Structures are given as structure tokens and as C-alpha cells.
Amino acid sequence: MNSVTSAATRCNLYQRPIFALSTLAIALLPFCHAQADEFSYPEMRYSNSDFGGVGLMQMPTARMHQEGEFTFGTTISSDYHHYWTSLQLLPWLETTIRYTQVPDTTYNFDHDDSFSGDTVFTDKGIDVKLRLWQESYWLPEVAIGIRDLGGTGLFDGEFIAANKRVGPLDFTLGLGWGYIGQRGNVTNPLCKISDSFCDRNNGYKGNGGSFDTGRWFKGNAALYGGVEYQTPWQPLQLKLEYDGNDYSTDFRLGWGHDMTPKSPFNVGAVYQLADWATANISYERGTTVSFGLSVNTNFNQLKASWLDEPMPSVTTTPTANQLTTAQWQQLAQDVEDIAGYKNPTIYQNGDSSITVVAEQVKYRDRDQAQLRTGILLNNHAPAVEQFRIIETAANQPITETILNHQQLLQVANNDYIGSNIADSRTTIAPEDIQGQPMVDLNKNWNVGIAPTLQQSLGGSEGFYMFNVGVTASADYWFNNHFTVGGSVYLNLYDTYDKFKYDIPPDGTHNKRVRTLVRQYITDNTLRMNNLQLTWLDQVSSDWYAQAYAGYLEVMFGGVGGEVLYRPVGSNWALGLDVNYVKQRDPHSAFGFFKDQNQYDDHLGRPYDVQTGTTTGNLTAYYQPQWQWLPNTLLKVSAGRYLAEDTGVTIDFSKQFDSGIIAGAFITQTSMSADEYGEGSFNKGFYVSIPFDILTVKPSTSRAHISWLPMNRDGGQMLGRQYHLYDLTDGRQPWNGRKAFNNE
């Protein structure tokens, strides 16, 4: 009898987190010798949890990686397969996107075999963690976070955690709610504020994608904690964790998969394979072995390495007052090859100024481009007082830079400490060009070819669907304002034959816009993406406008226009676009749908299409100047979308020191979550990578990689060939901002 009582007492004690953590601390005290500090142990590198983001195993911590750290990883166990990517977006903000596949479970509990087949059930989740304050001598580092922010609720939970370093040991103590705090070993402290915090609906949110703030910090709460130990052997770290989840409500129980833990403790080891790769193994719940692998890089620290033309040296040899046609041609070619101004036109205004008019296609660092241009003009052009550079885009003047000749020479020769080209430069809105054209390399034709990838992840029809091909484009300029251009796409391979749109559960028949993607991709090996006539103009010093007509994108054609207000050097701008469009028939190269009601032979049911509608948005652009939100761009658009729903799109992006841009957008419209279907509302993520950190040549071009969780019809904007904000980037560089880590 005494033996049984003693065993029960021990079991009860180990369910008390304070006793457990105290025992853990005492057990590890021998490792906290006074010599075990940062001078005698290798530097601790914070590792990732099973769910992605810095953490122990199941539980998150308050720790964060360095700003710009990008990690892609997977964690595999018999319970779940997690695939995740984490980005330290800001010093105080960690973001994680995760897909969780459930082994031996398909979507067929919700759909029939003809729809999803044997596709493994996949849950999507987004996590955020915000640091409240950093660790100091006395205070721990503290962070608050939300797991599964916009998912189905299967793994949603909230937490506040504190971390303190003691030599090679990093201790964690946290308080969790939801999936993180299901053990319920303490009373939810927020219940004292309101009884509404005492209960939580842990049910499955069928469509997912919604921000269910009604659950946050409600229901059971649990203390959790643990420690991470950096061993004297640099690659190896060890972990011990007290789990805040007892898995009593885990949704896998509904499929007969027993996740009852035999122990509240999890143990693990992390091994650093290389600076960019990590492996881990853990034993969790006393029942389950988990394996993980991750790779990482840092977007702030990536640097370009170029094979480039050297900076020209300043010569003092007097230049002839008049140049021959051949000499002007050679000078213009040097300005293109050495300074990156494509197909320049050069004007001379007596001994007052020389003006170069061209688009910059080589250097994101305009200081570099302008200094090279100034030196070339000094060395080879007639002597003048000023050099003027009018930077263009799509033949429209964007900015005018005035370089004082004598001050420029002092900068080029480093005549004084701290010399900088800004000392000789003034940037203004472009003015009328003074002088006579001496050479004109501008061309009327432009052609290009580029690989193309379109993709979507996490759908019930297939986890990953994509198409890959080649896009060829061409345009012809009648003058500086009118152009005709288009592109054709050759589809090399795709998996969109799997895509089968499912009518939302309430039976709503939305206008089919983007959910017709399968027809446009799989039914056309060669298709015309767009073909349009465009007028562009700088209508005043701070206003730009465009009008266009034709086949505007893959799925729509029509007419439209855009105006943009954007002063030089301003960190904000305002634009408006209005369009009248019809939906293109995917079975005809040049045709449009004439009848609103169509029949889908593939799925055997009717659907409605867009035979004519007005769409457009008023968009505000803002680059914050706040210290806590550096190098970011916020775009807010309000208007009418292609499915005739109205609403708002918020697009936020961050640019790192290398020039890599990471961004996300969400769109909330008058279309309800039930009408929208799976995903609840439109959203997506993207990364924009400068070519010049991928190649050995400097370039202003970029590779864009986008990720859309779902192809649905709500909140869809018209695709347009030209966007005035992007064309006028030189007025306050964003896409063309110089890399700060190459200085």
C-alpha cells in the first residue's frame, strides 16, 4: 500500500511544473561553474523548434535569430510532418510559415476520391513572435507570440516566454495557452480579468485562413520551460523541455492515433552540420522519436561579387572643344558599358552643360553610376560647368541629377577627407533639356526572353502545383509616349491538371476569375500573355499618367488608365487605376467569353464568368522613416476587384541590406469567408532577389518568387504590364536601392 501511494505521489509531483523546473535547475548546477562563460565555451547558436522558429522542441522560447536570418526546415515524426520557413523580418519580429502533413490521413474525410484522391491532409499555419525587451544583466529576454495565427485552429496557441543565459546554459520559462498550454497546470491568469477568458473553442475552423482573435489567450493555461546546453564541442547542443501540452485534445485522436504522453519531458540534441545546415533528433512524450533538418542563410549578410569594368581614372589632358561623330558615339557607348546608362542620348549646351538621358540598368548604387558618368564626361567631352543626368524608365523622365564639374573632380580625386559625390550633386524633377543632341543610341525596339515559374502550395487537390515555361516579350516605341508590346508563353511542364475548383459549402456561385487557372495553363501549350497599346507621360513635375488597351493579362483584356502623384525624394505617393475588362476565353487565342454561364466538361458542372466589369484601386504608398520599422514599404489599396467584390489590400515588405525584399499581402473584401471558400480570404507572400547577388555582373534587374496558398476568386486584382510606382522608383529608390552591406 505504501509502495502504491509513493508512486502516485511521484507522478503528481512531476505534473507540477515548478517542482519539475526546480529539479532540472538543481541537476544542471554542476555545469554552471564560474569558468563556464562565453570565454571558455563556444558561442551558443539558437536552434529551432519542431514547428519552426527559435525554440526548444514543442515549446517556443523568447530567443530570436539575427535580423535577416532565413531558415527552411522540416521535422518528421510518426505524428506529423512539419515543413516550415522562418524569417527574422525585423530585430524584434520573427515570422514563420508552416505546412503540417498528417501521415495516413487524406482530405477524403471532407471530399470524395474524385476531388482530392490520395492527397495527404495538410494544415497551413502562420506564426509570429514579438520581442518585448532584450536580456540585460538582471532581466531576462521576454517575447510574446501567436502560433497558427491564420490557420484552421488545429495547432493554434499563444505564449509569453522569458529566457536567461547562465554560462553555457539558456533557461526558458513560459506561459502558454491553447495547443501550447493544454496541460492546464495553472489557472489562466486572465480569468481574473473576465470570465470570458476561462473557456476556449478548440474546434476545427474548416476553411482556415481567418484571424480568430476570439480564441487568443483563452482556455487552459500551462507553465512550461526547459534549458538548452551548449557543449564544449562547438557543433553539439542538448535540450531538455517540460511540455505545456498534454495532447488530450489533439485532433489526431479522432483518427485513432494515440498521442497520450508517458512523460511531460522531451529531450533532444542539435548538431551543426555546417554554418548553413543543422540536424536534430529528439525523444518526445516518452513515446515518439522526431528528426529534423534545416538550412539557413542571412539576407542582410549576402554580398555581391562582380566581374566589372574598373572605375575610370580622372585625366587632366584637355579635351577638344568639338568632338567628331565617331567620338560622340564612343563616349555614349562608354557611358552605357562603364556607367550602366542604356542606349543614352547626349546633349550639349555650349560651355554650360552636357546632359545624358538614359535608363540605368546596371548599378543599384546610383552614386557609383553617376560618379562613373561624371569621370567619363570629364575625360572625353568638351569642358562644361555642369553634367546633367536625366534618368528615365519606359522613356519617361524620372529624376534629373546635376553634377558640379569642379566639385565632382575634387570627389573623384579624394581631395579632402570624407569626400562624397553627394557634395557635388543636386537632384530635382526633370526639366526641359537644354542644348543640341550630339548622339542618340536610343532604340525603338526592345526584346527579351525569360524563364517563368507559377506555383501554389497546400491545396487539397495537390500539395504543390506549378507550371514552368519560357516567356518571350517585345515592344515597339512609336515615340517617347506611345508603345505597343506583348509577350507569349511556352508551357514546358505543369501539374495544374490536378486543380479542381470546389464550390464553397454555402453553394455560392462566385464569378470564376482565378479559379479557371487550369484551363488557361493546361489547355494552351503556347499562349499570348498580353498584347496592348500604351500611352505614358510625365504630365507635370510630380504627376505621371498612363492609358492602355488590349489583352492586358492572361485572363483579361480591356481598357484602363492610371495616374500617380510622386514628388522627388518623397517617402509617400498616391495612385489611382480604373479599368473596364472582359474575361478572355481560354480556348481561343484572341476571343472573349460572350455568355456569362459556362459549362465545365472537366468537373461536369456550370459556372459563371466575367463578361464585362469595372475594376480599380486607390493606392497609397509609404516608406516609413521610423527607427523601429527600417527599410520597409507599406502599400494600402482600396477598390473593386475582378469578382466584383470590394475591399482593401494591405501589402507590407521589408528590404534587407543585400537588397533582397520579402513581403506579404492580405486582401479583405465584401466576399465572406464562406463565399470565398478554403483560405477565407486572399493572401500571399513573395521574395524579390537582385540579379547581381546571383550572378557575377552588376544589374538592376530582379528575380521575383511568389507563393500563393490558394487560387481563389475573391480579392483578385487585374494584372497590368506597367505600374507607375515601379516605373518611378528612382524618385525614392526601393527596388533599385543600393546594397548597404557592400559599403
Side-chain angles (χ1 to χ4, degrees):
M1 185 69 179
N2 290 339
S3 174
V4 173
T5 304
S6 177
T9 302
R10 286 198 304 271
C11 181
N12 189 42
L13 286 173
Y14 276 106
Q15 290 178 355
R16 299 175 185 174
I18 296 177
F19 175 85
L21 292 177
S22 300
T23 304
L24 177 64
I26 294 171
L28 292 171
L29 277 177
F31 295 103
C32 299
H33 191 269
Q35 296 297 319
D37 55 23
E38 61 270 24
F39 298 105
S40 56
Y41 275 85
E43 179 184 0
M44 176 175 284
R45 298 178 62 162
Y46 301 127
S47 58
N48 301 291
S49 74
D50 293 351
F51 286 81
V54 177
L56 293 167
M57 283 156 283
Q58 289 288 311
M59 300 290 106
T61 70
R63 298 301 188 188
M64 295 184 178
H65 289 303
Q66 290 183 350
E67 182 183 15
E69 193 76 8
F70 175 80
T71 311
F72 174 79
T74 180
T75 309
I76 305 295
S77 72
S78 58
D79 299 325
Y80 300 109
H81 298 171
H82 298 298
Y83 303 93
W84 50 266
T85 181
S86 291
L87 176 62
Q88 191 67 38
L89 196 65
L90 295 160
W92 49 270
L93 176 62
E94 175 191 271
T95 57
T96 300
I97 302 169
R98 179 181 54 262
Y99 284 95
T100 299
Q101 291 189 323
V102 185
D104 305 320
T105 304
T106 69
Y107 281 92
N108 288 338
F109 73 92
D110 201 19
H111 301 290
D112 59 33
D113 287 337
S114 65
F115 183 81
S116 60
D118 59 357
T119 302
V120 175
F121 179 80
T122 303
D123 182 77
K124 296 166 285 291
I126 301 173
D127 306 345
V128 296
K129 180 165 66 177
L130 293 82
R131 185 171 61 204
L132 301 181
W133 61 77
Q134 289 182 282
E135 182 179 8
S136 64
Y137 186 82
W138 293 109
L139 294 177
E141 188 153 315
V142 178
I144 189 170
I146 299 175
R147 179 180 288 174
D148 207 5
L149 177 69
T152 57
L154 299 182
F155 303 102
D156 64 348
E158 305 78 48
F159 67 92
I160 183 167
N163 276 73
K164 195 75 179 72
R165 283 281 301 276
V166 181
L169 300 174
D170 190 27
F171 290 93
T172 300
L173 180 62
L175 178 63
W177 292 262
Y179 195 80
I180 300 172
Q182 189 57 42
R183 187 172 297 277
N185 53 34
V186 295
T187 301
N188 185 348
L190 297 179
C191 286
K192 296 180 179 180
I193 299 175
S194 171
D195 289 341
S196 64
F197 284 99
C198 298
D199 298 313
R200 183 188 187 103
N201 176 13
N202 289 317
Y204 172 68
K205 297 180 290 183
N207 284 336
S210 60
F211 298 112
D212 193 352
T213 58
R215 298 192 188 197
W216 292 358
F217 302 99
K218 292 184 177 181
N220 288 349
L223 284 172
Y224 69 86
V227 64
E228 190 164 3
Y229 170 54
Q230 171 60 60
T231 70
W233 186 29
Q234 172 67 61
L236 181 64
Q237 290 172 278
L238 303 177
K239 295 182 177 182
L240 178 62
E241 172 185 75
Y242 178 83
D243 200 334
N245 189 1
D246 65 2
Y247 304 91
S248 59
T249 62
D250 196 283
F251 84 108
R252 287 219 67 185
L253 298 174
W255 280 279
H257 183 86
D258 188 7
M259 292 186 64
T260 304
K262 292 183 179 180
S263 170
F265 289 102
N266 305 321
V267 294
V270 180
Y271 185 79
Q272 196 75 36
L273 300 171
D275 285 343
W276 52 271
T278 303
N280 60 274
I281 184 172
S282 58
Y283 185 62
E284 303 176 11
R285 298 184 288 281
T287 61
T288 305
V289 177
S290 178
F291 300 92
L293 181 67
S294 65
V295 293
N296 62 278
T297 188
N298 192 287
F299 287 167
N300 266 339
Q301 297 171 6
L302 291 174
K303 292 188 178 183
S305 180
W306 300 332
L307 297 175
D308 191 18
E309 296 283 347
M311 177 72 72
S313 300
V314 176
T315 64
T316 57
T317 304
T319 304
N321 290 331
Q322 297 295 329
L323 302 185
T324 66
T325 300
Q327 288 173 321
W328 279 113
Q329 291 278 350
Q330 184 59 53
L331 176 57
Q333 193 62 53
D334 288 344
V335 167
E336 177 171 347
D337 296 339
I338 299 174
Y341 287 101
K342 182 181 179 181
N343 300 329
T345 301
I346 301 179
Y347 298 80
Q348 182 180 358
N349 183 26
D351 59 0
S352 176
S353 65
I354 290 177
T355 302
V356 175
V357 181
E359 180 180 2
Q360 176 54 235
V361 298
K362 188 175 182 182
Y363 295 108
R364 288 186 285 138
D365 184 352
R366 285 169 171 78
D367 290 355
Q368 176 92 199
Q370 292 165 6
L371 181 58
R372 286 170 174 255
T373 302
I375 293 175
L376 289 171
L377 295 178
N378 170 79
N379 293 351
H380 304 294
V384 293
E385 296 176 3
Q386 294 178 341
F387 301 135
R388 292 174 174 257
I389 303 171
I390 297 179
E391 184 177 325
T392 65
N395 282 333
Q396 304 312 302
I398 307 302
T399 60
E400 182 169 358
T401 300
I402 304 171
L403 301 174
N404 181 282
H405 189 173
Q406 294 305 315
Q407 288 181 316
L408 177 70
L409 289 179
Q410 292 179 1
V411 172
N413 290 320
N414 293 308
D415 286 347
Y416 57 94
I417 297 174
S419 61
N420 190 293
I421 191 173
D423 301 338
S424 64
R425 177 179 60 199
T426 303
T427 301
I428 60 174
E431 298 178 344
D432 292 337
I433 301 172
Q434 302 296 318
Q436 299 297 317
M438 309 308 295
V439 59
D440 185 357
L441 299 187
N442 196 22
K443 298 177 181 179
N444 293 334
W445 279 97
N446 289 309
V447 296
I449 187 168
T452 302
L453 171 67
Q454 180 177 339
Q455 58 187 342
S456 60
L457 290 86
S460 53
E461 309 96 318
F463 176 69
Y464 181 60
M465 291 180 288
F466 71 96
N467 66 278
V468 61
V470 177
T471 299
S473 60
D475 59 82
Y476 178 79
W477 290 86
F478 299 101
N479 54 41
N480 285 340
H481 301 291
F482 282 95
T483 178
V484 61
S487 64
V488 293
Y489 171 78
L490 175 63
N491 191 32
L492 299 178
Y493 185 78
D494 74 84
T495 61
Y496 274 93
D497 58 318
K498 301 178 182 178
F499 184 80
K500 305 172 186 177
Y501 175 67
D502 191 27
I503 295 175
D506 68 346
T508 301
H509 291 271
N510 300 318
K511 294 286 179 65
R512 296 285 300 280
V513 290
R514 300 307 184 198
T515 55
L516 290 179
V517 60
R518 176 182 56 80
Q519 287 90 322
Y520 288 96
I521 293 175
T522 62
D523 295 353
N524 298 281
T525 302
L526 183 67
R527 69 169 185 262
M528 179 183 65
N529 278 344
N530 67 306
L531 178 64
Q532 69 180 59
L533 177 68
T534 308
W535 168 82
L536 291 153
D537 195 12
Q538 181 192 19
V539 294
S540 70
S541 62
D542 297 328
W543 286 90
Y544 289 82
Q546 67 164 325
Y548 39 84
Y551 300 93
L552 305 180
E553 53 142 280
V554 174
M555 300 185 185
F556 286 88
V559 297
E562 181 188 14
V563 293
L564 176 75
Y565 176 75
R566 189 177 192 182
V568 173
S570 174
N571 65 327
W572 68 274
L574 188 65
L576 173 68
D577 69 278
V578 178
N579 314 273
Y580 179 78
V581 296
K582 293 184 177 182
Q583 195 157 3
R584 296 172 59 183
D585 186 344
H587 307 295
S588 170
F590 298 98
F592 292 86
F593 281 121
K594 296 180 180 179
D595 299 322
Q596 180 174 311
N597 189 263
Q598 302 289 319
Y599 188 80
D600 192 331
D601 294 327
H602 190 71
L603 296 180
R605 60 180 178 229
Y607 61 90
D608 291 339
V609 296
Q610 196 60 270
T611 55
T613 189
T614 301
T615 181
N617 287 272
L618 177 67
T619 304
Y621 308 85
Y622 182 59
Q623 297 184 39
Q625 304 298 302
W626 309 320
Q627 186 176 2
W628 59 275
L629 206 61
N631 307 323
T632 56
L633 172 64
L634 177 65
K635 295 188 287 187
V636 180
S637 301
R640 194 170 192 249
Y641 299 86
L642 289 171
E644 300 181 351
D645 47 335
T646 57
V648 176
T649 297
I650 300 175
D651 186 312
F652 178 80
S653 55
K654 158 75 176 181
Q655 185 163 174
F656 298 94
D657 289 349
S658 62
I660 291 177
I661 296 172
F665 71 88
I666 60 172
T667 300
Q668 191 69 56
T669 73
S670 55
M671 188 178 291
S672 69
D674 286 338
E675 290 173 321
Y676 184 91
E678 187 177 1
S680 296
F681 60 90
N682 191 28
K683 52 191 168 293
F685 307 88
Y686 56 89
V687 176
S688 176
I689 306 173
F691 273 168
D692 57 14
I693 64 174
L694 301 174
T695 64
V696 295
K697 289 288 186 180
S699 172
T700 58
S701 298
R702 288 178 167 271
H704 298 276
I705 303 171
S706 60
W707 167 56
L708 300 176
M710 291 289 166
N711 282 294
R712 292 295 180 261
D713 295 314
Q716 298 292 337
M717 289 186 179
L718 177 71
R720 293 182 286 122
Q721 183 177 4
Y722 297 107
H723 291 80
L724 292 180
Y725 188 80
D726 294 334
L727 286 182
T728 59
D729 184 74
R731 295 205 146 201
Q732 179 70 7
W734 177 249
N735 290 318
R737 197 189 70 163
K738 69 178 181 179
F740 289 107
N741 60 4
N742 283 342
E743 294 181 336

